[in-house]
Amino acid sequence: MKVTDQSTFRLMQTNLDKITNDLLGLRNQGATGLKLNKPSDDPGAIRPVLTTRTQLQQNERYLETMGHAGDTMAATDGHLNHVENIMVRVKEIAINAVNSGMSESDLATFGDEIAELRNELLDSANAVVDGKYIFAGFNEKTKPFTENPAYDPALYDVNDVTTWPYLYHGDYNNTSLEITPGEFMDVNLTGNELFMGITNEIAAAGYTNPFRGERQTSTAIGPGIPGNDITITAGSNPPVTISGGTDLTDPAGENNYAAKVAALFSQSGTGLVGTVNAATQDLGDLSLTNFVDTEDTYSLDITSGGNTISVTLDGPSGTYDYTLSGMASALANTAGATNLTSTSGTLSNGVSYDISSGSLVLTGPADGSEIELDETITDGVVTGTTPSGGISGGDQTVYGTINIETNSPTDVTIAGTGLASVGLTADTLNGSSGRIDLFTVLTRTEEAIRAGNVDDVNGPGGSIQAQIDNLEVAADQNRGLRSSLGAKAKRVDSAKLHQEDAKIDLKQILSRYQDADMIEIYNDIIQQETAFKSALNITARVSDISILDYFR
């Protein structure tokens, strides 16, 4: 085969280009430290590299989140420590103030110091981290606590937050951060929980009845029996009596006996708050026997809130049958019925019905109004048969039920034979001990000390002795929440260490796919540079050959 000069030069050029490209690639790897600079360098490595980079970004986000959470928790703990010191100091002052040898001037000095400590407490309650109020819940741009301009010591009511000396403008939501995939953690404390002693669950309901404790829910209730009374004793308060003969009555025209009973348990001095549940009753199947179409009729009156809905099953045209389905059809066709399905609906008087379980289940309005049922069977006296049956229980009144729960730190004892009439049992319900408003404690301690009121619970500030006990409750409240926050901080630290370890592992995986072996790269560069020089030398020699060299 003939080899021309053109072929020789083309071959040399190709080899030089290849060596040059290889050398360029090696130099790029040496300069960047990466063996994967573009997809074509290693197509098989693209997917694991991109996946690992995504995981690293997520890892960095979690570490950033946990760093922020850690900073917030550390700042919060610092303020909680200050609150603890304030409570301890005020208690020391209160104990000293009990000393009968203290003059009015001494007591005034103690009062002044407590006033300054209360201001320090306000500063902690309105603490700011990174431009955000840390105890304001989601309202982190709103100052959470301000003085109540309408506060009057004579009108103070532990169950009415509007009468307390300081008002809360934050909300009850905790800040939740994702610290690991799918794991969220509350990293703050709300002001209502820490400083007011009101749980977030109660705050969500609107701060009504702020200190709720143990609850008891009644079974079926009914009117009382004369002589069967109920006594309610809240702590050391005088007992409150509910009379079975005069109080637990349901005269004609009253439509909400459950609400009446709940109000009796909520009256002043009981330490309780009563609420109602809707009346509900499973009336079973509609069992009618010996009914003849066009002759016998069955009627049911359903009354609630003074409004009666009447239905009649008479069958003269075959419109209704004498079954539960026929009853549901009749109820659905009453005026004003809503939320209708083939098996359920709501009547215009607020009573809902449902036959999907094979029984007629009635549920009254949410306000606890009773349901009065009156059924009538009419015999047409044509065939000589006697129709009978109906709903389970026949004519009856279905009352709503009640819930009672403590509404103060005090334990409440309920007793008496009248409890059975309202579906309750004798018990001592635990109060909301362990929760208290810190600002109120400091304010009333100051009031008691300035007035020199040592032990009169009905006097100014509720007495120094009582406030000493309350100060210990306040300190315990702070310690409990601080302990809970510390446990969460420990969990964040643990998760942070885990993510940092995961970050190292991910970087090792990424390095295996994309990082170059620098020693190997530098050796390859030297070899390629030597090869390139040799190729240039050979090319130069070939270029020097001419036709005259063949005439020697």
Side-chain angles (χ1 to χ4, degrees):
M1 181 179 68
K2 182 178 179 181
V3 179
T4 65
D5 290 344
Q6 185 177 6
S7 299
T8 301
F9 283 115
R10 187 181 299 115
L11 179 60
M12 287 188 296
Q13 182 63 46
T14 300
N15 289 333
L16 284 172
D17 289 343
K18 181 179 182 305
I19 295 172
T20 301
N21 288 334
D22 290 345
L23 187 57
L24 178 62
L26 290 170
R27 285 173 174 169
N28 283 337
Q29 292 181 22
T32 63
L34 302 175
K35 63 183 178 182
L36 183 63
N37 289 291
K38 56 185 182 296
S40 59
D41 289 340
D42 188 357
I46 295 302
R47 182 173 181 177
V49 166
L50 294 178
T51 299
T52 305
R53 285 178 179 174
T54 300
Q55 291 175 335
L56 273 171
Q57 290 175 349
Q58 293 175 342
N59 179 273
E60 291 288 354
R61 179 170 61 84
Y62 289 130
L63 286 172
E64 181 180 354
T65 298
M66 285 185 284
H68 174 72
D71 292 343
T72 301
M73 288 180 168
T76 302
D77 184 70
H79 289 291
L80 295 184
N81 182 61
H82 187 52
V83 171
E84 168 80 10
N85 293 336
I86 291 173
M87 294 298 112
V88 170
R89 178 54 188 156
V90 173
K91 185 176 180 180
E92 290 174 352
I93 294 173
I95 292 173
N96 289 333
V98 173
N99 189 335
S100 60
M102 292 293 174
S103 64
E104 289 187 8
S105 176
D106 294 332
L107 294 176
T109 300
F110 283 153
D112 292 341
E113 184 175 354
I114 292 178
E116 289 303 318
L117 290 170
R118 190 174 66 248
N119 290 333
E120 289 186 29
L121 183 67
L122 182 63
D123 290 340
S124 290
N126 291 329
V128 177
V129 172
D130 195 23
K132 301 174 183 178
Y133 291 99
I134 61 176
F135 297 117
F138 284 176
N139 295 348
E140 53 193 16
K141 293 297 183 181
T142 302
K143 180 182 287 188
F145 287 96
T146 59
E147 234 179 313
N148 183 1
Y151 173 68
D152 182 346
L155 300 178
Y156 168 75
D157 181 355
V158 68
N159 293 317
D160 185 356
V161 296
T162 63
T163 67
W164 294 4
Y166 287 79
L167 301 176
Y168 180 58
H169 307 289
D171 79 352
Y172 51 82
N173 292 297
N174 290 110
T175 300
S176 184
L177 298 179
E178 188 176 15
I179 61 172
T180 59
E183 181 182 357
F184 293 84
M185 177 174 289
D186 295 336
V187 297
N188 72 322
L189 296 173
T190 58
N192 56 270
E193 189 175 30
L194 173 61
F195 292 96
M196 301 175 74
I198 302 175
T199 65
N200 293 331
E201 291 76 17
I202 292 177
Y207 296 98
T208 303
N209 305 312
F211 295 120
R212 297 186 185 180
E214 189 177 358
R215 165 188 287 209
Q216 187 178 147
T217 298
S218 74
T219 56
I221 70 173
I225 300 173
N228 290 357
D229 299 337
I230 300 171
T231 59
I232 305 171
T233 307
S236 58
N237 293 342
V240 175
T241 299
I242 298 175
S243 169
T246 58
D247 294 326
L248 299 178
T249 59
D250 184 27
E254 284 190 1
N255 302 313
N256 199 331
Y257 178 63
K260 177 180 180 178
V261 175
L264 289 170
F265 279 92
S266 299
Q267 63 183 295
S268 177
T270 63
L272 296 171
V273 58
T275 55
V276 298
N277 306 306
T280 185
Q281 184 76 349
D282 186 339
L283 299 171
D285 194 3
L286 179 62
S287 178
L288 300 174
T289 58
N290 296 326
F291 267 70
V292 180
D293 283 350
T294 73
E295 178 181 336
D296 305 324
T297 61
Y298 172 83
S299 299
L300 179 65
D301 294 340
I302 303 174
T303 303
S304 185
N307 185 5
T308 301
I309 302 297
S310 300
V311 292
T312 299
L313 305 184
D314 52 19
S317 60
T319 303
Y320 303 129
D321 56 31
Y322 299 105
T323 67
L324 206 56
S325 296
M327 173 65 74
S329 298
L331 291 171
N333 285 328
T334 59
T338 58
N339 304 320
L340 298 176
T341 70
S342 60
T343 59
S344 63
T346 302
L347 305 178
S348 62
N349 61 4
V351 176
S352 299
Y353 67 90
D354 190 335
I355 66 167
S356 60
S357 64
S359 297
L360 176 60
V361 179
L362 297 182
T363 303
D367 66 0
S369 296
E370 54 255 35
I371 306 171
E372 296 180 7
L373 302 174
D374 184 13
E375 58 181 357
T376 304
I377 296 174
T378 303
D379 184 2
V381 194
V382 175
T383 62
T385 60
T386 302
S388 62
I391 57 175
S392 175
D395 296 348
Q396 58 192 284
T397 299
V398 182
Y399 295 103
T401 57
I402 64 169
N403 313 300
I404 60 169
E405 56 189 326
T406 56
N407 190 32
S408 73
T410 306
D411 295 347
V412 178
T413 299
I414 57 173
T417 54
L419 288 171
S421 298
V422 292
L424 298 172
T425 58
D427 195 6
T428 296
L429 303 178
N430 296 327
S432 60
S433 56
R435 301 203 301 271
I436 203 165
D437 178 45
L438 273 59
F439 288 106
T440 295
V441 174
L442 265 63
T443 301
R444 288 176 62 78
T445 301
E446 178 189 350
E447 293 167 1
I449 288 176
R450 290 187 185 278
N453 177 17
V454 176
D455 54 10
D456 181 6
V457 294
N458 296 315
S463 82
I464 301 174
Q465 292 284 14
Q467 297 309 325
I468 289 174
D469 294 337
N470 288 337
L471 284 164
E472 187 58 33
V473 171
D476 284 341
Q477 176 175 296
N478 179 73
R479 294 177 194 127
L481 291 173
R482 188 179 183 187
S483 176
S484 175
L485 186 71
K488 292 178 180 179
K490 184 177 180 180
R491 174 68 187 97
V492 169
D493 289 341
S494 176
K496 187 175 181 181
L497 290 174
H498 172 71
Q499 290 295 337
E500 287 173 345
D501 290 341
K503 181 178 180 180
I504 294 173
D505 294 338
L506 290 171
K507 285 187 174 182
Q508 288 177 343
I509 294 172
L510 191 62
S511 175
R512 186 168 67 250
Y513 283 104
Q514 71 175 17
D515 289 351
D517 184 337
M518 299 308 294
I519 296 177
E520 182 180 347
I521 291 299
Y522 291 145
N523 287 334
D524 290 345
I525 289 174
I526 293 173
Q527 292 176 6
Q528 287 295 325
E529 287 179 342
T530 301
F532 183 63
K533 291 178 182 179
S534 299
L536 288 176
N537 187 31
I538 293 172
T539 301
R541 291 183 182 181
V542 172
S543 301
D544 288 340
I545 298 175
S546 70
I547 193 170
L548 297 177
D549 293 326
Y550 296 97
F551 289 109
R552 294 177 181 173

mmCIF file of all heavy atoms in Angstrom, residues 427-463:
data_model
loop_
_atom_site.group_PDB
_atom_site.id
_atom_site.type_symbol
_atom_site.label_atom_id
_atom_site.label_comp_id
_atom_site.label_asym_id
_atom_site.label_seq_id
_atom_site.Cartn_x
_atom_site.Cartn_y
_atom_site.Cartn_z
ATOM 1 N N ASP A 427 -66.963 12.184 93.884
ATOM 2 C CA ASP A 427 -65.545 12.176 93.526
ATOM 3 C C ASP A 427 -64.906 13.467 94.038
ATOM 4 O O ASP A 427 -65.585 14.443 94.348
ATOM 5 C CB ASP A 427 -65.394 12.068 92.007
ATOM 6 C CG ASP A 427 -63.978 11.690 91.585
ATOM 7 O OD1 ASP A 427 -63.140 11.409 92.467
ATOM 8 O OD2 ASP A 427 -63.709 11.672 90.373
ATOM 9 N N THR A 428 -63.578 13.433 94.137
ATOM 10 C CA THR A 428 -62.807 14.658 94.357
ATOM 11 C C THR A 428 -62.041 14.936 93.080
ATOM 12 O O THR A 428 -61.158 14.162 92.683
ATOM 13 C CB THR A 428 -61.829 14.514 95.543
ATOM 14 O OG1 THR A 428 -62.572 14.326 96.745
ATOM 15 C CG2 THR A 428 -60.972 15.766 95.675
ATOM 16 N N LEU A 429 -62.414 16.022 92.415
ATOM 17 C CA LEU A 429 -61.804 16.377 91.135
ATOM 18 C C LEU A 429 -60.576 17.232 91.391
ATOM 19 O O LEU A 429 -60.646 18.239 92.122
ATOM 20 C CB LEU A 429 -62.802 17.139 90.264
ATOM 21 C CG LEU A 429 -64.128 16.406 89.975
ATOM 22 C CD1 LEU A 429 -65.051 17.288 89.154
ATOM 23 C CD2 LEU A 429 -63.852 15.099 89.242
ATOM 24 N N ASN A 430 -59.467 16.829 90.790
ATOM 25 C CA ASN A 430 -58.216 17.562 90.987
ATOM 26 C C ASN A 430 -58.279 18.923 90.310
ATOM 27 O O ASN A 430 -58.713 19.045 89.159
ATOM 28 C CB ASN A 430 -57.037 16.764 90.423
ATOM 29 C CG ASN A 430 -56.827 15.461 91.160
ATOM 30 O OD1 ASN A 430 -57.062 15.375 92.356
ATOM 31 N ND2 ASN A 430 -56.395 14.430 90.445
ATOM 32 N N GLY A 431 -57.819 19.934 91.025
ATOM 33 C CA GLY A 431 -57.755 21.268 90.444
ATOM 34 C C GLY A 431 -56.556 21.406 89.523
ATOM 35 O O GLY A 431 -55.773 20.476 89.323
ATOM 36 N N SER A 432 -56.430 22.571 88.941
ATOM 37 C CA SER A 432 -55.341 22.817 87.989
ATOM 38 C C SER A 432 -54.076 23.227 88.732
ATOM 39 O O SER A 432 -53.413 24.197 88.354
ATOM 40 C CB SER A 432 -55.743 23.905 87.005
ATOM 41 O OG SER A 432 -56.029 25.113 87.694
ATOM 42 N N SER A 433 -53.754 22.532 89.830
ATOM 43 C CA SER A 433 -52.567 22.875 90.609
ATOM 44 C C SER A 433 -51.330 22.773 89.733
ATOM 45 O O SER A 433 -51.229 21.912 88.873
ATOM 46 C CB SER A 433 -52.438 21.933 91.805
ATOM 47 O OG SER A 433 -52.407 20.591 91.366
ATOM 48 N N GLY A 434 -50.403 23.675 89.955
ATOM 49 C CA GLY A 434 -49.188 23.674 89.146
ATOM 50 C C GLY A 434 -49.235 24.696 88.035
ATOM 51 O O GLY A 434 -48.255 24.855 87.299
ATOM 52 N N ARG A 435 -50.374 25.417 87.875
ATOM 53 C CA ARG A 435 -50.466 26.439 86.838
ATOM 54 C C ARG A 435 -50.945 27.742 87.470
ATOM 55 O O ARG A 435 -51.929 27.754 88.226
ATOM 56 C CB ARG A 435 -51.423 26.008 85.727
ATOM 57 C CG ARG A 435 -51.027 24.719 85.039
ATOM 58 C CD ARG A 435 -51.641 24.625 83.652
ATOM 59 N NE ARG A 435 -53.092 24.695 83.689
ATOM 60 C CZ ARG A 435 -53.893 23.648 83.818
ATOM 61 N NH1 ARG A 435 -53.361 22.445 83.969
ATOM 62 N NH2 ARG A 435 -55.197 23.792 83.806
ATOM 63 N N ILE A 436 -50.261 28.820 87.145
ATOM 64 C CA ILE A 436 -50.592 30.101 87.788
ATOM 65 C C ILE A 436 -50.036 31.232 86.935
ATOM 66 O O ILE A 436 -49.093 31.037 86.148
ATOM 67 C CB ILE A 436 -50.000 30.144 89.220
ATOM 68 C CG1 ILE A 436 -50.749 31.122 90.095
ATOM 69 C CG2 ILE A 436 -48.498 30.446 89.201
ATOM 70 C CD1 ILE A 436 -50.464 30.955 91.577
ATOM 71 N N ASP A 437 -50.626 32.419 87.067
ATOM 72 C CA ASP A 437 -50.157 33.599 86.339
ATOM 73 C C ASP A 437 -49.040 34.273 87.130
ATOM 74 O O ASP A 437 -49.267 34.757 88.249
ATOM 75 C CB ASP A 437 -51.318 34.568 86.118
ATOM 76 C CG ASP A 437 -50.883 35.830 85.401
ATOM 77 O OD1 ASP A 437 -50.137 35.708 84.412
ATOM 78 O OD2 ASP A 437 -51.261 36.939 85.833
ATOM 79 N N LEU A 438 -47.841 34.297 86.565
ATOM 80 C CA LEU A 438 -46.676 34.822 87.280
ATOM 81 C C LEU A 438 -46.817 36.306 87.594
ATOM 82 O O LEU A 438 -46.443 36.772 88.681
ATOM 83 C CB LEU A 438 -45.402 34.587 86.459
ATOM 84 C CG LEU A 438 -44.688 33.234 86.652
ATOM 85 C CD1 LEU A 438 -45.609 32.070 86.308
ATOM 86 C CD2 LEU A 438 -43.416 33.168 85.792
ATOM 87 N N PHE A 439 -47.352 37.084 86.646
ATOM 88 C CA PHE A 439 -47.496 38.521 86.879
ATOM 89 C C PHE A 439 -48.486 38.787 88.014
ATOM 90 O O PHE A 439 -48.283 39.701 88.831
ATOM 91 C CB PHE A 439 -47.961 39.217 85.601
ATOM 92 C CG PHE A 439 -46.899 39.307 84.544
ATOM 93 C CD1 PHE A 439 -46.947 38.500 83.424
ATOM 94 C CD2 PHE A 439 -45.847 40.201 84.682
ATOM 95 C CE1 PHE A 439 -45.969 38.580 82.449
ATOM 96 C CE2 PHE A 439 -44.863 40.297 83.708
ATOM 97 C CZ PHE A 439 -44.918 39.477 82.598
ATOM 98 N N THR A 440 -49.558 37.995 88.053
ATOM 99 C CA THR A 440 -50.541 38.169 89.123
ATOM 100 C C THR A 440 -49.913 37.866 90.486
ATOM 101 O O THR A 440 -50.152 38.590 91.462
ATOM 102 C CB THR A 440 -51.747 37.248 88.889
ATOM 103 O OG1 THR A 440 -52.417 37.656 87.690
ATOM 104 C CG2 THR A 440 -52.718 37.318 90.052
ATOM 105 N N VAL A 441 -49.120 36.808 90.549
ATOM 106 C CA VAL A 441 -48.491 36.439 91.818
ATOM 107 C C VAL A 441 -47.597 37.569 92.322
ATOM 108 O O VAL A 441 -47.672 37.966 93.503
ATOM 109 C CB VAL A 441 -47.669 35.143 91.664
ATOM 110 C CG1 VAL A 441 -46.905 34.840 92.944
ATOM 111 C CG2 VAL A 441 -48.581 33.976 91.329
ATOM 112 N N LEU A 442 -46.768 38.121 91.442
ATOM 113 C CA LEU A 442 -45.878 39.205 91.878
ATOM 114 C C LEU A 442 -46.666 40.457 92.247
ATOM 115 O O LEU A 442 -46.361 41.126 93.243
ATOM 116 C CB LEU A 442 -44.868 39.530 90.774
ATOM 117 C CG LEU A 442 -43.507 38.815 90.899
ATOM 118 C CD1 LEU A 442 -43.680 37.307 90.790
ATOM 119 C CD2 LEU A 442 -42.536 39.315 89.827
ATOM 120 N N THR A 443 -47.704 40.769 91.451
ATOM 121 C CA THR A 443 -48.500 41.969 91.728
ATOM 122 C C THR A 443 -49.222 41.851 93.054
ATOM 123 O O THR A 443 -49.208 42.781 93.883
ATOM 124 C CB THR A 443 -49.515 42.197 90.594
ATOM 125 O OG1 THR A 443 -48.825 42.345 89.353
ATOM 126 C CG2 THR A 443 -50.346 43.447 90.861
ATOM 127 N N ARG A 444 -49.861 40.703 93.289
ATOM 128 C CA ARG A 444 -50.627 40.541 94.523
ATOM 129 C C ARG A 444 -49.706 40.353 95.742
ATOM 130 O O ARG A 444 -50.081 40.714 96.868
ATOM 131 C CB ARG A 444 -51.606 39.372 94.375
ATOM 132 C CG ARG A 444 -52.754 39.741 93.434
ATOM 133 C CD ARG A 444 -53.705 38.593 93.166
ATOM 134 N NE ARG A 444 -54.379 38.112 94.351
ATOM 135 C CZ ARG A 444 -55.411 38.698 94.930
ATOM 136 N NH1 ARG A 444 -55.879 39.850 94.448
ATOM 137 N NH2 ARG A 444 -55.999 38.166 95.993
ATOM 138 N N THR A 445 -48.528 39.805 95.526
ATOM 139 C CA THR A 445 -47.559 39.739 96.627
ATOM 140 C C THR A 445 -47.160 41.155 97.056
ATOM 141 O O THR A 445 -47.086 41.462 98.254
ATOM 142 C CB THR A 445 -46.311 38.953 96.206
ATOM 143 O OG1 THR A 445 -46.689 37.623 95.829
ATOM 144 C CG2 THR A 445 -45.303 38.868 97.330
ATOM 145 N N GLU A 446 -46.916 42.006 96.064
ATOM 146 C CA GLU A 446 -46.584 43.400 96.368
ATOM 147 C C GLU A 446 -47.730 44.077 97.120
ATOM 148 O O GLU A 446 -47.508 44.786 98.120
ATOM 149 C CB GLU A 446 -46.295 44.157 95.081
ATOM 150 C CG GLU A 446 -45.978 45.635 95.303
ATOM 151 C CD GLU A 446 -45.903 46.421 94.006
ATOM 152 O OE1 GLU A 446 -45.912 45.807 92.926
ATOM 153 O OE2 GLU A 446 -45.868 47.668 94.095
ATOM 154 N N GLU A 447 -48.977 43.836 96.653
ATOM 155 C CA GLU A 447 -50.139 44.453 97.306
ATOM 156 C C GLU A 447 -50.265 43.976 98.753
ATOM 157 O O GLU A 447 -50.525 44.790 99.674
ATOM 158 C CB GLU A 447 -51.413 44.096 96.526
ATOM 159 C CG GLU A 447 -51.481 44.715 95.141
ATOM 160 C CD GLU A 447 -52.580 44.102 94.277
ATOM 161 O OE1 GLU A 447 -53.300 43.203 94.773
ATOM 162 O OE2 GLU A 447 -52.723 44.515 93.111
ATOM 163 N N ALA A 448 -50.083 42.677 98.976
ATOM 164 C CA ALA A 448 -50.209 42.133 100.333
ATOM 165 C C ALA A 448 -49.124 42.678 101.246
ATOM 166 O O ALA A 448 -49.380 42.998 102.425
ATOM 167 C CB ALA A 448 -50.145 40.604 100.284
ATOM 168 N N ILE A 449 -47.886 42.792 100.719
ATOM 169 C CA ILE A 449 -46.772 43.293 101.543
ATOM 170 C C ILE A 449 -46.981 44.767 101.887
ATOM 171 O O ILE A 449 -46.795 45.185 103.046
ATOM 172 C CB ILE A 449 -45.436 43.073 100.807
ATOM 173 C CG1 ILE A 449 -45.089 41.584 100.802
ATOM 174 C CG2 ILE A 449 -44.324 43.884 101.469
ATOM 175 C CD1 ILE A 449 -43.832 41.240 100.027
ATOM 176 N N ARG A 450 -47.373 45.582 100.928
ATOM 177 C CA ARG A 450 -47.580 47.016 101.206
ATOM 178 C C ARG A 450 -48.690 47.213 102.246
ATOM 179 O O ARG A 450 -48.637 48.145 103.051
ATOM 180 C CB ARG A 450 -47.925 47.751 99.917
ATOM 181 C CG ARG A 450 -46.761 47.875 98.945
ATOM 182 C CD ARG A 450 -47.112 48.753 97.752
ATOM 183 N NE ARG A 450 -46.058 48.788 96.752
ATOM 184 C CZ ARG A 450 -44.973 49.555 96.799
ATOM 185 N NH1 ARG A 450 -44.786 50.361 97.852
ATOM 186 N NH2 ARG A 450 -44.072 49.525 95.842
ATOM 187 N N ALA A 451 -49.704 46.317 102.210
ATOM 188 C CA ALA A 451 -50.815 46.433 103.168
ATOM 189 C C ALA A 451 -50.516 45.725 104.474
ATOM 190 O O ALA A 451 -51.307 45.824 105.429
ATOM 191 C CB ALA A 451 -52.087 45.858 102.545
ATOM 192 N N GLY A 452 -49.394 45.001 104.557
ATOM 193 C CA GLY A 452 -49.063 44.264 105.768
ATOM 194 C C GLY A 452 -50.038 43.132 106.037
ATOM 195 O O GLY A 452 -50.215 42.720 107.201
ATOM 196 N N ASN A 453 -50.671 42.607 104.981
ATOM 197 C CA ASN A 453 -51.658 41.533 105.125
ATOM 198 C C ASN A 453 -50.952 40.188 105.155
ATOM 199 O O ASN A 453 -50.561 39.661 104.118
ATOM 200 C CB ASN A 453 -52.660 41.589 103.966
ATOM 201 C CG ASN A 453 -53.672 40.460 104.023
ATOM 202 O OD1 ASN A 453 -53.849 39.812 105.069
ATOM 203 N ND2 ASN A 453 -54.330 40.217 102.904
ATOM 204 N N VAL A 454 -50.796 39.623 106.339
ATOM 205 C CA VAL A 454 -50.040 38.386 106.496
ATOM 206 C C VAL A 454 -50.877 37.160 106.161
ATOM 207 O O VAL A 454 -50.439 36.284 105.408
ATOM 208 C CB VAL A 454 -49.477 38.260 107.918
ATOM 209 C CG1 VAL A 454 -48.775 36.916 108.107
ATOM 210 C CG2 VAL A 454 -48.511 39.399 108.204
ATOM 211 N N ASP A 455 -52.108 37.057 106.666
ATOM 212 C CA ASP A 455 -52.840 35.798 106.520
ATOM 213 C C ASP A 455 -54.321 35.940 106.202
ATOM 214 O O ASP A 455 -55.063 34.953 106.246
ATOM 215 C CB ASP A 455 -52.686 34.960 107.791
ATOM 216 C CG ASP A 455 -53.089 35.732 109.041
ATOM 217 O OD1 ASP A 455 -53.667 36.835 108.908
ATOM 218 O OD2 ASP A 455 -52.804 35.238 110.151
ATOM 219 N N ASP A 456 -54.797 37.127 105.877
ATOM 220 C CA ASP A 456 -56.209 37.308 105.538
ATOM 221 C C ASP A 456 -56.387 37.099 104.031
ATOM 222 O O ASP A 456 -56.081 37.981 103.224
ATOM 223 C CB ASP A 456 -56.667 38.713 105.926
ATOM 224 C CG ASP A 456 -58.154 38.943 105.618
ATOM 225 O OD1 ASP A 456 -58.831 37.973 105.215
ATOM 226 O OD2 ASP A 456 -58.618 40.091 105.774
ATOM 227 N N VAL A 457 -56.906 35.916 103.651
ATOM 228 C CA VAL A 457 -57.029 35.583 102.218
ATOM 229 C C VAL A 457 -58.034 36.487 101.513
ATOM 230 O O VAL A 457 -58.012 36.586 100.273
ATOM 231 C CB VAL A 457 -57.431 34.108 102.027
ATOM 232 C CG1 VAL A 457 -56.339 33.183 102.507
ATOM 233 C CG2 VAL A 457 -58.754 33.799 102.717
ATOM 234 N N ASN A 458 -58.908 37.140 102.269
ATOM 235 C CA ASN A 458 -59.885 38.035 101.658
ATOM 236 C C ASN A 458 -59.415 39.490 101.677
ATOM 237 O O ASN A 458 -60.117 40.378 101.186
ATOM 238 C CB ASN A 458 -61.233 37.931 102.390
ATOM 239 C CG ASN A 458 -61.851 36.550 102.248
ATOM 240 O OD1 ASN A 458 -61.869 35.986 101.155
ATOM 241 N ND2 ASN A 458 -62.354 36.001 103.350
ATOM 242 N N GLY A 459 -58.219 39.715 102.238
ATOM 243 C CA GLY A 459 -57.688 41.067 102.306
ATOM 244 C C GLY A 459 -56.864 41.406 101.077
ATOM 245 O O GLY A 459 -56.805 40.650 100.107
ATOM 246 N N PRO A 460 -56.186 42.583 101.097
ATOM 247 C CA PRO A 460 -55.384 43.017 99.951
ATOM 248 C C PRO A 460 -54.343 41.968 99.544
ATOM 249 O O PRO A 460 -53.631 41.421 100.389
ATOM 250 C CB PRO A 460 -54.705 44.293 100.458
ATOM 251 C CG PRO A 460 -55.607 44.796 101.540
ATOM 252 C CD PRO A 460 -56.173 43.575 102.197
ATOM 253 N N GLY A 461 -54.291 41.670 98.283
ATOM 254 C CA GLY A 461 -53.300 40.732 97.765
ATOM 255 C C GLY A 461 -53.532 39.284 98.135
ATOM 256 O O GLY A 461 -52.733 38.415 97.767
ATOM 257 N N GLY A 462 -54.604 38.987 98.861
ATOM 258 C CA GLY A 462 -54.889 37.598 99.210
ATOM 259 C C GLY A 462 -53.993 37.030 100.288
ATOM 260 O O GLY A 462 -53.967 35.814 100.475
ATOM 261 N N SER A 463 -53.211 37.856 100.966
ATOM 262 C CA SER A 463 -52.315 37.533 102.080
ATOM 263 C C SER A 463 -50.925 37.113 101.602
ATOM 264 O O SER A 463 -50.764 36.474 100.562
ATOM 265 C CB SER A 463 -52.882 36.435 102.991
ATOM 266 O OG SER A 463 -52.633 35.145 102.471
#
